[in-house]
Amino acid sequence: MNEALLRSLTPSVLGILVRRGADFAAAEDAVQDALVEAVRVWPAAPPRDPKGWLVSVAWRRFLDATRADTARRRREDLLDEEPAPGPAPAVDDTLQLYFLCAHPSLTPSSAVALTLRAVGGLTTRQIAQAYLVPEATMAQRISRAKRTVSGVRFDQPGDVSTVLRVLYLVFNEGYSGDVDLAAESIRLTRQLASAIDHPEVAGLLALMLLHHARRAARTAPDGGLVPLAEQDRGRWDTEAIAEGVEILQAALARDRLGEFQAQAAIAELHADAPTAEETDWVQIVEWYDELARLTDSPVVRLNRAVAVGEADGPRAGLAALAALDDSLPRYAAVAAYLHERDGDLGTAARLYAEAAQKAPNLAERDHLTRQAARLNARRSR
């Protein structure tokens, strides 16, 4: 390190900073920081232009220090302006933002997509996966929604059903582990339930609580997924289950069935079973029939095929599956499970491997890959 060179350059660098508008004391501190950095960096990577390097680094240090000082003084000013300590507000404006993004000028699907992107924090890819459409299609839908609401007045909040759909999809992303949003979705749904007397709001809250109650048991210590049938039910949150069941039963008693209540009823039947073998699959199939009538959703029919396979045997499940489009997400995984139950290990292993390639997240991909490896190992014995 050429200390003489550094000493000779210091006055010139200091003068340049002052001419650029830095006060002398701040410029001096910045130059000293730059000299320390030069002593650290130059032995391994000497610059071609030592003076230019020092000016650049010193100016950046000056700007960083100025911004930090400005931010500090602003925080002090805000602290002085704060009111005396008192009870904090019980709610924030997040739920109101959900309603405002669900604008009447948008179609329900566009409003949901826009809200998920703008407020929920989900990526375009995650939203596209939830809607079973290509990412490019969803990107266009969100762009059109933004253009539609640009310039309109956000003084007409959207309807409850659209907001419920958003909360449901955000919760599902949080529950999957990709984005930690499940607890926030429950918090907002609680707020909505306290403000609106609506059986589907209660149904959604019950559904969230019943699913969230199983969260601790869904992953193994190594991070791998644990299927429902293999979960340690002693790790389920019994208080959350009890609350969810109570909320659901009150909603069902009003005889205004909706899709979230039907989903919550299925979740309740799983929660009620002391063991996986004691699950009332016949009732679950009946609730899936109700849910399919309400939604006509291919994903519901896919899940129904699993329930039919449990209630009436794997051949019946495969027959129900055959009526569906094999491009559906997780179709291959369901087919693999049913073929394994039917004893066709070769087909099941191939389908597990195929499903792993299409898995939406790493944890699910690892789980399906292990399932394929397990069956291949059994076949090779």
Side-chain angles (χ1 to χ4, degrees), residues 2-23:
N2 192 334
E3 295 182 4
L5 174 62
L6 289 177
R7 285 197 299 270
S8 67
L9 291 175
T10 298
S12 177
V13 174
L14 184 58
I16 290 172
L17 264 63
V18 172
R19 286 196 296 275
R20 286 185 178 184
D23 67 82

Side-chain angles (χ1 to χ4, degrees), residues 123-177:
T123 65
T124 303
R125 182 180 181 184
Q126 289 168 328
I127 301 169
Q129 289 173 344
Y131 271 86
L132 310 182
V133 300
E135 185 175 351
T137 301
M138 182 54 65
Q140 292 174 356
R141 184 180 299 178
I142 294 172
S143 295
R144 284 196 299 270
K146 289 178 179 178
R147 287 196 298 270
T148 299
V149 299
S150 62
V152 303
R153 294 180 60 191
F154 281 84
D155 55 0
Q156 293 178 279
D159 63 4
V160 174
S161 61
T162 300
V163 174
L164 288 178
R165 175 64 50 192
V166 175
L167 290 168
Y168 173 65
L169 291 173
V170 173
F171 175 82
N172 280 343
E173 286 300 331
Y175 193 63
S176 74

Side-chain angles (χ1 to χ4, degrees), residues 134-310:
E135 185 175 351
T137 301
M138 182 54 65
Q140 292 174 356
R141 184 180 299 178
I142 294 172
S143 295
R144 284 196 299 270
K146 289 178 179 178
R147 287 196 298 270
T148 299
V149 299
S150 62
V152 303
R153 294 180 60 191
F154 281 84
D155 55 0
Q156 293 178 279
D159 63 4
V160 174
S161 61
T162 300
V163 174
L164 288 178
R165 175 64 50 192
V166 175
L167 290 168
Y168 173 65
L169 291 173
V170 173
F171 175 82
N172 280 343
E173 286 300 331
Y175 193 63
S176 74
D178 291 334
V179 181
D180 189 12
L181 292 168
E184 172 68 358
S185 301
I186 292 174
R187 184 184 73 84
L188 293 173
T189 306
R190 283 191 189 278
Q191 285 188 15
L192 189 58
S194 67
I196 299 176
D197 184 19
H198 192 297
E200 272 295 81
V201 177
L204 179 58
L205 179 56
L207 175 63
M208 288 179 174
L209 289 169
L210 289 165
H211 276 302
H212 204 59
R214 302 200 299 260
R215 187 166 190 173
R218 292 182 73 241
T219 54
D222 64 358
L225 291 182
V226 180
L228 176 61
E230 300 172 20
Q231 289 176 16
D232 177 0
R233 301 186 177 218
R235 299 184 66 195
W236 290 1
D237 185 341
T238 55
E239 290 186 8
I241 291 173
E243 182 185 5
V245 169
E246 182 180 358
I247 292 170
L248 173 62
Q249 292 304 320
L252 291 174
R254 301 175 65 174
D255 200 23
R256 290 170 53 194
L257 185 65
E259 64 172 294
F260 294 122
Q261 295 170 72
Q263 286 192 59
I266 294 169
E268 180 187 356
L269 287 167
H270 284 298
D272 280 344
T275 65
E277 293 72 25
E278 296 174 84
T279 303
D280 190 341
W281 286 106
V282 174
Q283 271 204 73
I284 288 176
V285 171
E286 292 174 356
W287 275 112
Y288 270 121
D289 288 338
E290 287 286 349
L291 191 55
R293 180 182 61 80
L294 290 166
T295 66
D296 194 29
S297 164
V299 175
V300 168
R301 297 187 185 280
L302 184 69
N303 292 331
R304 179 185 177 276
V306 177
V308 169
E310 298 289 353

Side-chain angles (χ1 to χ4, degrees), residues 358-379:
K358 301 176 181 178
N361 57 67
L362 183 60
E364 191 168 334
R365 185 181 312 141
D366 288 346
H367 172 71
L368 293 168
T369 300
R370 289 175 185 176
Q371 295 295 87
R374 174 179 59 81
L375 293 187
N376 283 327
R378 284 179 57 184
R379 293 172 60 218

